[in-house]
Amino acid sequence: MKYSGWPEKGELVVGDVDEIEDFGVFVDLKEYEDKRGLVHISEVASGWIKNVRDHVGEGQTVVCKVLDVDEDSQQIDLSIKDVNDHQRSDKIQEWKNEQKADNWMLLAFGEDVSDEQYASVANELLAEFGSLYDGFEQAAIHGPEALSDSDLTDEEVEQLVDTARDNVSVPYVTVTGYVDLRSPNSNGVDDVQEALQAAEGNGEVPDEVELDVTYVGSPEYRIRVKAPNYKTAESELEAAADRAAVAIEEHGGSGEYHRERRSDDE
């Protein structure tokens, strides 16, 4: 994906060295459509420069700082020397992430997705999250809820979430479900308490998983699971609900698992 329009002054941009002259370097901007900038020789590196080619080569990918933009003259002035190693590393990683997200968009909507739909979905993600990658990451972590404030269709949300959960590696995911626990016995409170302890795993939950059960409103209890990936989180969530249901049913009660909250808002 490439942006239309112009970069802003002070922005960091990624580009390929397109042409080298004695007076400076022309850079083809990889993130903007049909945009090319100039790095004057004085902005290539600190200190005196005898030969520009000692510092950059044609085809080299560089990170530049935008010094000035003149739309009337179609000119973008850039600097390579004003970008430190940390900024360069972060910007390259950000750009690589957006390349991944661009591929995920094609996986989600197909290689033949129309330019109009691609732009519409991309603009929604950019407006909500600031980047395509962050949009996919949030969709992988939080599912459809992450996109609930967008104007995307239900089908588009489903396609994005499915693709995100199949492809995005995130440091953790958190999923939530609910279980209704009922006991007809006079000591039903004890029955429910035993079922909740069963849901929490009785020490059998993997070390990398955080699981907690909280009261929402009788007979509903929230199960929240934090895990390294979506598959593990979903599996542990369902297992917790199953343990609670089995425990309460052993006392003649009933347990029902559901993903959406049913009791009144707290």
Side-chain angles (χ1 to χ4, degrees), residues 43-97:
E43 294 295 336
V44 172
S46 299
W48 182 71
I49 298 176
K50 180 178 180 181
N51 188 339
V52 179
R53 294 180 184 275
D54 291 337
H55 300 273
V56 293
E58 290 184 0
Q60 180 181 343
T61 297
V62 293
V63 176
C64 304
K65 181 178 180 180
V66 178
L67 299 179
D68 194 27
V69 176
D70 189 333
E71 297 183 27
D72 293 334
S73 62
Q74 302 281 296
Q75 184 171 325
I76 303 172
D77 295 329
L78 304 170
S79 173
I80 293 175
K81 74 175 186 180
D82 284 355
V83 181
N84 62 42
D85 290 341
H86 180 71
Q87 291 173 318
R88 184 178 299 107
S89 176
D90 285 351
K91 181 60 184 179
I92 288 294
Q93 186 59 56
E94 176 187 314
W95 174 71
K96 288 180 177 178
N97 286 345

Side-chain angles (χ1 to χ4, degrees), residues 10-244:
E11 182 179 343
L12 297 183
V13 293
V14 178
D16 288 338
V17 175
D18 182 49
E19 184 181 348
I20 299 176
E21 300 290 350
D22 291 339
F23 57 84
V25 176
F26 288 98
V27 177
D28 180 25
L29 302 188
K30 300 174 79 68
E31 300 164 288
Y32 289 87
E33 287 183 333
D34 304 319
K35 295 298 184 293
R36 191 182 192 223
L38 172 65
V39 182
H40 187 268
I41 187 172
S42 63
E43 294 295 336
V44 172
S46 299
W48 182 71
I49 298 176
K50 180 178 180 181
N51 188 339
V52 179
R53 294 180 184 275
D54 291 337
H55 300 273
V56 293
E58 290 184 0
Q60 180 181 343
T61 297
V62 293
V63 176
C64 304
K65 181 178 180 180
V66 178
L67 299 179
D68 194 27
V69 176
D70 189 333
E71 297 183 27
D72 293 334
S73 62
Q74 302 281 296
Q75 184 171 325
I76 303 172
D77 295 329
L78 304 170
S79 173
I80 293 175
K81 74 175 186 180
D82 284 355
V83 181
N84 62 42
D85 290 341
H86 180 71
Q87 291 173 318
R88 184 178 299 107
S89 176
D90 285 351
K91 181 60 184 179
I92 288 294
Q93 186 59 56
E94 176 187 314
W95 174 71
K96 288 180 177 178
N97 286 345
E98 288 303 279
Q99 295 300 106
K100 290 180 182 179
D102 192 34
N103 290 330
W104 295 336
M105 287 284 285
L106 299 182
L107 288 175
F109 302 105
E111 295 283 347
D112 57 349
V113 60
S114 68
D115 291 342
E116 291 76 11
Q117 184 183 20
Y118 187 106
S120 174
V121 174
N123 286 334
E124 284 291 326
L125 295 180
L126 290 171
E128 188 71 22
F129 305 102
S131 74
L132 297 185
Y133 184 87
D134 287 346
F136 273 99
E137 185 174 66
Q138 291 303 307
I141 295 172
H142 300 293
E145 183 181 342
L147 306 170
S148 61
D149 292 334
S150 73
D151 290 330
L152 299 171
T153 67
D154 291 343
E155 182 179 1
E156 288 171 336
V157 169
E158 182 179 358
Q159 289 170 296
L160 286 170
V161 171
D162 287 347
T163 301
R165 286 176 166 171
D166 285 342
N167 294 277
V168 181
S169 296
V170 293
Y172 69 90
V173 297
T174 301
V175 296
T176 302
Y178 300 85
V179 62
D180 294 348
L181 300 174
R182 295 179 174 87
S183 173
N185 302 321
S186 58
N187 60 341
V189 173
D190 293 335
D191 296 342
V192 170
Q193 187 62 38
E194 183 179 328
L196 295 177
Q197 290 175 350
E200 292 174 342
N202 294 318
E204 298 177 4
V205 176
D207 291 340
E208 71 272 16
V209 173
E210 295 181 18
L211 187 154
D212 65 80
V213 183
T214 55
Y215 174 75
V216 175
S218 183
E220 190 175 33
Y221 297 83
R222 179 190 295 111
I223 304 174
R224 181 178 286 113
V225 178
K226 181 178 178 180
N229 57 71
Y230 174 74
K231 181 179 290 187
T232 299
E234 282 290 325
S235 176
E236 291 297 328
L237 175 60
E238 293 177 7
D242 287 343
R243 289 193 297 267

